Amino acid sequence: MSLILRYMTMGDVPQVITIDRLSFDPPWSARSYAYEVSESTYSHMVVLEQTVEVAPATGLRRLVKNLSGAQQAERQIVAYGGLWHIADEAHISTIATHPAERGRGYGEIVLAGMVRRALTLNAAYVVLEVRVSNTAAQNLYRKHDFQITDVKPRYYHNNGEDAYDMRLMLTDPVMKQRIEERYASLRAQHRFIDQYTDVPPPRGQT
Ligand SMILES: CC(C)(COP(=O)(O)OP(=O)(O)OC[C@H]1O[C@@H](n2cnc3c(N)ncnc32)[C@H](O)[C@@H]1OP(=O)(O)O)[C@@H](O)C(=O)NCCC(=O)NCCS
């Protein structure tokens, strides 16, 4: 099995909206993702893709596969996220892990990747909103040094729930080093390929 962290493409949108629908109420539309991936100049959408080697086929199946040149591997998006970069601000717009893949550190890889991307874009801070009831996500953000800085009353329209505003300052050199060390440690632990945090974006993002 291998993992790759990379920019989201239009081809990823069907899998991403499947995870989104299993994770959020209300979910984003396919059109919203298409806009973020192909039009927005502020968006740095990311996916974590898992490749699993499939056992070699035997007999006729093997012959057909070899003739067609088909690879014996299955690719699947296990988690994704969205980052908007505008001037000093990096804003985490979304993050989710497929329900069947939660608790394996994938959300953490995506979050650490977006934070490192914010650093390499020279943002001064990262901000996000999270439901006050969403303790799993809050724990993830706290683990990565985000702090609650504000409460936005009745922020979520579907049930009138409040949001916490959570922030991570990137200007302190000690924090920068801590972020880099944590990222390096996650990379060593999960051995993922990184084609996101310090590579040029596929379009003209700022
Ligand atoms: C929040 C979410 C992205 C976490 O993804 P994940 O891949 O399961 O998380 P990880 O396995 O990387 O866990 C990293 C940390 O998050 C926290 N965490 C994750 N799941 C948790 C849970 N069920 N309960 C408490 N803390 C949890 C822990 O601090 C954990 O670190 P630990 O393993 O050292 O305890 C995932 O639960 C999800 O997709 N939720 C639905 C969408 C959502 O709420 N997104 C956030 C919107 S603001």
Side-chain angles (χ1 to χ4, degrees), residues 112 115-116 119 144-145 168-170 174-184:
V115 168
R116 186 161 193 268
L119 261 186
H144 285 252
D145 293 316
L168 172 64
M169 296 307 294
L170 303 177
V174 176
M175 183 56 79
K176 280 187 187 179
Q177 190 182 342
R178 200 171 144 86
I179 289 167
E180 289 290 6
E181 284 171 2
R182 187 187 287 121
Y183 173 81

PDB file of all heavy atoms in Angstrom, residues 112 115-116 119 144-145 168-170 174-184:
ATOM      1  N   ALA A 112      -1.922  18.482   8.395  1.00  0.00           N
ATOM      2  CA  ALA A 112      -0.508  18.890   8.454  1.00  0.00           C
ATOM      3  C   ALA A 112      -0.037  19.356   7.073  1.00  0.00           C
ATOM      4  O   ALA A 112       0.762  20.289   6.962  1.00  0.00           O
ATOM      5  CB  ALA A 112       0.345  17.733   8.951  1.00  0.00           C
ATOM      6  N   VAL A 115      -1.420  22.875   6.513  1.00  0.00           N
ATOM      7  CA  VAL A 115      -0.686  23.850   7.335  1.00  0.00           C
ATOM      8  C   VAL A 115       0.689  24.110   6.718  1.00  0.00           C
ATOM      9  O   VAL A 115       1.130  25.259   6.601  1.00  0.00           O
ATOM     10  CB  VAL A 115      -0.561  23.343   8.795  1.00  0.00           C
ATOM     11  CG1 VAL A 115       0.426  24.188   9.578  1.00  0.00           C
ATOM     12  CG2 VAL A 115      -1.928  23.350   9.478  1.00  0.00           C
ATOM     13  N   ARG A 116       1.346  23.042   6.269  1.00  0.00           N
ATOM     14  CA  ARG A 116       2.670  23.250   5.649  1.00  0.00           C
ATOM     15  C   ARG A 116       2.536  24.016   4.329  1.00  0.00           C
ATOM     16  O   ARG A 116       3.376  24.851   3.999  1.00  0.00           O
ATOM     17  CB  ARG A 116       3.368  21.912   5.420  1.00  0.00           C
ATOM     18  CG  ARG A 116       4.776  22.106   4.920  1.00  0.00           C
ATOM     19  CD  ARG A 116       5.638  20.869   5.105  1.00  0.00           C
ATOM     20  NE  ARG A 116       7.040  21.180   4.914  1.00  0.00           N
ATOM     21  CZ  ARG A 116       7.665  21.081   3.741  1.00  0.00           C
ATOM     22  NH1 ARG A 116       7.021  20.676   2.665  1.00  0.00           N
ATOM     23  NH2 ARG A 116       8.949  21.387   3.647  1.00  0.00           N
ATOM     24  N   LEU A 119       2.372  27.555   5.139  1.00  0.00           N
ATOM     25  CA  LEU A 119       3.718  28.072   5.434  1.00  0.00           C
ATOM     26  C   LEU A 119       4.477  28.379   4.149  1.00  0.00           C
ATOM     27  O   LEU A 119       5.087  29.435   4.022  1.00  0.00           O
ATOM     28  CB  LEU A 119       4.512  27.015   6.207  1.00  0.00           C
ATOM     29  CG  LEU A 119       4.634  27.092   7.710  1.00  0.00           C
ATOM     30  CD1 LEU A 119       5.595  26.012   8.210  1.00  0.00           C
ATOM     31  CD2 LEU A 119       5.109  28.453   8.167  1.00  0.00           C
ATOM     32  N   HIS A 144      -2.671  19.929  16.643  1.00  0.00           N
ATOM     33  CA  HIS A 144      -1.780  20.675  15.736  1.00  0.00           C
ATOM     34  C   HIS A 144      -1.687  22.155  16.130  1.00  0.00           C
ATOM     35  O   HIS A 144      -1.451  23.005  15.272  1.00  0.00           O
ATOM     36  CB  HIS A 144      -2.243  20.484  14.288  1.00  0.00           C
ATOM     37  CG  HIS A 144      -1.879  19.124  13.777  1.00  0.00           C
ATOM     38  ND1 HIS A 144      -0.894  18.905  12.853  1.00  0.00           N
ATOM     39  CD2 HIS A 144      -2.337  17.898  14.129  1.00  0.00           C
ATOM     40  CE1 HIS A 144      -0.774  17.605  12.643  1.00  0.00           C
ATOM     41  NE2 HIS A 144      -1.642  16.973  13.398  1.00  0.00           N
ATOM     42  N   ASP A 145      -1.897  22.421  17.421  1.00  0.00           N
ATOM     43  CA  ASP A 145      -1.636  23.739  18.031  1.00  0.00           C
ATOM     44  C   ASP A 145      -2.630  24.841  17.675  1.00  0.00           C
ATOM     45  O   ASP A 145      -2.364  26.018  17.942  1.00  0.00           O
ATOM     46  CB  ASP A 145      -0.208  24.224  17.724  1.00  0.00           C
ATOM     47  CG  ASP A 145       0.827  23.339  18.401  1.00  0.00           C
ATOM     48  OD1 ASP A 145       0.630  23.006  19.582  1.00  0.00           O
ATOM     49  OD2 ASP A 145       1.812  22.969  17.744  1.00  0.00           O
ATOM     50  N   LEU A 168      -4.177  29.245  14.047  1.00  0.00           N
ATOM     51  CA  LEU A 168      -2.784  28.848  14.267  1.00  0.00           C
ATOM     52  C   LEU A 168      -1.901  29.934  13.663  1.00  0.00           C
ATOM     53  O   LEU A 168      -1.965  30.188  12.453  1.00  0.00           O
ATOM     54  CB  LEU A 168      -2.534  27.499  13.573  1.00  0.00           C
ATOM     55  CG  LEU A 168      -1.088  27.004  13.540  1.00  0.00           C
ATOM     56  CD1 LEU A 168      -0.565  26.731  14.946  1.00  0.00           C
ATOM     57  CD2 LEU A 168      -0.984  25.746  12.695  1.00  0.00           C
ATOM     58  N   MET A 169      -1.103  30.594  14.505  1.00  0.00           N
ATOM     59  CA  MET A 169      -0.215  31.641  14.003  1.00  0.00           C
ATOM     60  C   MET A 169       1.045  31.006  13.411  1.00  0.00           C
ATOM     61  O   MET A 169       1.600  30.077  13.988  1.00  0.00           O
ATOM     62  CB  MET A 169       0.178  32.602  15.141  1.00  0.00           C
ATOM     63  CG  MET A 169      -0.985  33.375  15.735  1.00  0.00           C
ATOM     64  SD  MET A 169      -1.978  34.271  14.531  1.00  0.00           S
ATOM     65  CE  MET A 169      -0.792  35.481  13.946  1.00  0.00           C
ATOM     66  N   LEU A 170       1.473  31.530  12.261  1.00  0.00           N
ATOM     67  CA  LEU A 170       2.625  30.939  11.573  1.00  0.00           C
ATOM     68  C   LEU A 170       3.862  31.833  11.616  1.00  0.00           C
ATOM     69  O   LEU A 170       4.889  31.485  11.037  1.00  0.00           O
ATOM     70  CB  LEU A 170       2.270  30.667  10.100  1.00  0.00           C
ATOM     71  CG  LEU A 170       1.072  29.767   9.834  1.00  0.00           C
ATOM     72  CD1 LEU A 170       0.824  29.661   8.335  1.00  0.00           C
ATOM     73  CD2 LEU A 170       1.293  28.379  10.429  1.00  0.00           C
ATOM     74  N   VAL A 174       9.588  29.613  16.328  1.00  0.00           N
ATOM     75  CA  VAL A 174       9.520  28.373  17.107  1.00  0.00           C
ATOM     76  C   VAL A 174       8.354  27.510  16.614  1.00  0.00           C
ATOM     77  O   VAL A 174       8.476  26.290  16.452  1.00  0.00           O
ATOM     78  CB  VAL A 174       9.373  28.684  18.623  1.00  0.00           C
ATOM     79  CG1 VAL A 174       9.192  27.405  19.423  1.00  0.00           C
ATOM     80  CG2 VAL A 174      10.573  29.470  19.112  1.00  0.00           C
ATOM     81  N   MET A 175       7.212  28.170  16.341  1.00  0.00           N
ATOM     82  CA  MET A 175       6.050  27.437  15.837  1.00  0.00           C
ATOM     83  C   MET A 175       6.333  26.878  14.440  1.00  0.00           C
ATOM     84  O   MET A 175       5.972  25.739  14.127  1.00  0.00           O
ATOM     85  CB  MET A 175       4.810  28.351  15.818  1.00  0.00           C
ATOM     86  CG  MET A 175       3.541  27.654  15.370  1.00  0.00           C
ATOM     87  SD  MET A 175       3.142  26.181  16.353  1.00  0.00           S
ATOM     88  CE  MET A 175       2.406  26.928  17.810  1.00  0.00           C
ATOM     89  N   LYS A 176       6.995  27.664  13.607  1.00  0.00           N
ATOM     90  CA  LYS A 176       7.342  27.187  12.257  1.00  0.00           C
ATOM     91  C   LYS A 176       8.165  25.903  12.344  1.00  0.00           C
ATOM     92  O   LYS A 176       7.905  24.941  11.630  1.00  0.00           O
ATOM     93  CB  LYS A 176       8.167  28.248  11.520  1.00  0.00           C
ATOM     94  CG  LYS A 176       7.365  29.360  10.925  1.00  0.00           C
ATOM     95  CD  LYS A 176       8.278  30.225  10.084  1.00  0.00           C
ATOM     96  CE  LYS A 176       7.543  31.462   9.612  1.00  0.00           C
ATOM     97  NZ  LYS A 176       8.349  32.348   8.814  1.00  0.00           N
ATOM     98  N   GLN A 177       9.128  25.921  13.244  1.00  0.00           N
ATOM     99  CA  GLN A 177       9.993  24.748  13.396  1.00  0.00           C
ATOM    100  C   GLN A 177       9.181  23.550  13.900  1.00  0.00           C
ATOM    101  O   GLN A 177       9.345  22.422  13.442  1.00  0.00           O
ATOM    102  CB  GLN A 177      11.133  25.071  14.356  1.00  0.00           C
ATOM    103  CG  GLN A 177      12.186  23.972  14.366  1.00  0.00           C
ATOM    104  CD  GLN A 177      13.305  24.266  15.345  1.00  0.00           C
ATOM    105  OE1 GLN A 177      13.487  25.403  15.778  1.00  0.00           O
ATOM    106  NE2 GLN A 177      14.048  23.232  15.703  1.00  0.00           N
ATOM    107  N   ARG A 178       8.291  23.827  14.855  1.00  0.00           N
ATOM    108  CA  ARG A 178       7.436  22.765  15.411  1.00  0.00           C
ATOM    109  C   ARG A 178       6.571  22.138  14.308  1.00  0.00           C
ATOM    110  O   ARG A 178       6.400  20.928  14.234  1.00  0.00           O
ATOM    111  CB  ARG A 178       6.546  23.407  16.484  1.00  0.00           C
ATOM    112  CG  ARG A 178       5.956  22.480  17.479  1.00  0.00           C
ATOM    113  CD  ARG A 178       5.311  23.330  18.567  1.00  0.00           C
ATOM    114  NE  ARG A 178       4.113  22.709  19.052  1.00  0.00           N
ATOM    115  CZ  ARG A 178       4.068  21.796  20.008  1.00  0.00           C
ATOM    116  NH1 ARG A 178       5.172  21.397  20.575  1.00  0.00           N
ATOM    117  NH2 ARG A 178       2.925  21.267  20.394  1.00  0.00           N
ATOM    118  N   ILE A 179       6.024  22.990  13.432  1.00  0.00           N
ATOM    119  CA  ILE A 179       5.181  22.513  12.326  1.00  0.00           C
ATOM    120  C   ILE A 179       6.009  21.639  11.373  1.00  0.00           C
ATOM    121  O   ILE A 179       5.576  20.556  10.970  1.00  0.00           O
ATOM    122  CB  ILE A 179       4.562  23.717  11.568  1.00  0.00           C
ATOM    123  CG1 ILE A 179       3.494  24.383  12.442  1.00  0.00           C
ATOM    124  CG2 ILE A 179       3.974  23.289  10.229  1.00  0.00           C
ATOM    125  CD1 ILE A 179       3.043  25.754  11.934  1.00  0.00           C
ATOM    126  N   GLU A 180       7.206  22.097  11.045  1.00  0.00           N
ATOM    127  CA  GLU A 180       8.067  21.331  10.130  1.00  0.00           C
ATOM    128  C   GLU A 180       8.455  19.990  10.749  1.00  0.00           C
ATOM    129  O   GLU A 180       8.465  18.959  10.070  1.00  0.00           O
ATOM    130  CB  GLU A 180       9.328  22.137   9.771  1.00  0.00           C
ATOM    131  CG  GLU A 180       9.077  23.331   8.864  1.00  0.00           C
ATOM    132  CD  GLU A 180       8.700  22.959   7.427  1.00  0.00           C
ATOM    133  OE1 GLU A 180       8.510  21.770   7.119  1.00  0.00           O
ATOM    134  OE2 GLU A 180       8.568  23.890   6.619  1.00  0.00           O
ATOM    135  N   GLU A 181       8.751  20.007  12.045  1.00  0.00           N
ATOM    136  CA  GLU A 181       9.156  18.759  12.717  1.00  0.00           C
ATOM    137  C   GLU A 181       7.992  17.765  12.778  1.00  0.00           C
ATOM    138  O   GLU A 181       8.159  16.578  12.544  1.00  0.00           O
ATOM    139  CB  GLU A 181       9.659  19.063  14.131  1.00  0.00           C
ATOM    140  CG  GLU A 181      11.059  19.657  14.134  1.00  0.00           C
ATOM    141  CD  GLU A 181      11.513  20.168  15.492  1.00  0.00           C
ATOM    142  OE1 GLU A 181      10.750  20.027  16.492  1.00  0.00           O
ATOM    143  OE2 GLU A 181      12.607  20.733  15.540  1.00  0.00           O
ATOM    144  N   ARG A 182       6.797  18.297  13.066  1.00  0.00           N
ATOM    145  CA  ARG A 182       5.641  17.414  13.152  1.00  0.00           C
ATOM    146  C   ARG A 182       5.337  16.812  11.781  1.00  0.00           C
ATOM    147  O   ARG A 182       5.036  15.629  11.650  1.00  0.00           O
ATOM    148  CB  ARG A 182       4.427  18.182  13.686  1.00  0.00           C
ATOM    149  CG  ARG A 182       3.251  17.271  13.960  1.00  0.00           C
ATOM    150  CD  ARG A 182       2.013  18.029  14.312  1.00  0.00           C
ATOM    151  NE  ARG A 182       2.059  18.597  15.637  1.00  0.00           N
ATOM    152  CZ  ARG A 182       1.940  19.905  15.872  1.00  0.00           C
ATOM    153  NH1 ARG A 182       1.789  20.749  14.889  1.00  0.00           N
ATOM    154  NH2 ARG A 182       1.963  20.363  17.103  1.00  0.00           N
ATOM    155  N   TYR A 183       5.450  17.660  10.751  1.00  0.00           N
ATOM    156  CA  TYR A 183       5.203  17.196   9.390  1.00  0.00           C
ATOM    157  C   TYR A 183       6.215  16.098   9.019  1.00  0.00           C
ATOM    158  O   TYR A 183       5.838  15.054   8.469  1.00  0.00           O
ATOM    159  CB  TYR A 183       5.297  18.387   8.423  1.00  0.00           C
ATOM    160  CG  TYR A 183       5.227  17.963   6.995  1.00  0.00           C
ATOM    161  CD1 TYR A 183       4.006  17.700   6.387  1.00  0.00           C
ATOM    162  CD2 TYR A 183       6.388  17.788   6.253  1.00  0.00           C
ATOM    163  CE1 TYR A 183       3.944  17.262   5.085  1.00  0.00           C
ATOM    164  CE2 TYR A 183       6.335  17.350   4.954  1.00  0.00           C
ATOM    165  CZ  TYR A 183       5.122  17.097   4.382  1.00  0.00           C
ATOM    166  OH  TYR A 183       5.067  16.652   3.090  1.00  0.00           O
ATOM    167  N   ALA A 184       7.492  16.344   9.328  1.00  0.00           N
ATOM    168  CA  ALA A 184       8.539  15.365   9.000  1.00  0.00           C
ATOM    169  C   ALA A 184       8.286  14.047   9.734  1.00  0.00           C
ATOM    170  O   ALA A 184       8.469  12.956   9.171  1.00  0.00           O
ATOM    171  CB  ALA A 184       9.902  15.928   9.372  1.00  0.00           C
TER     172      ALA A 184
END
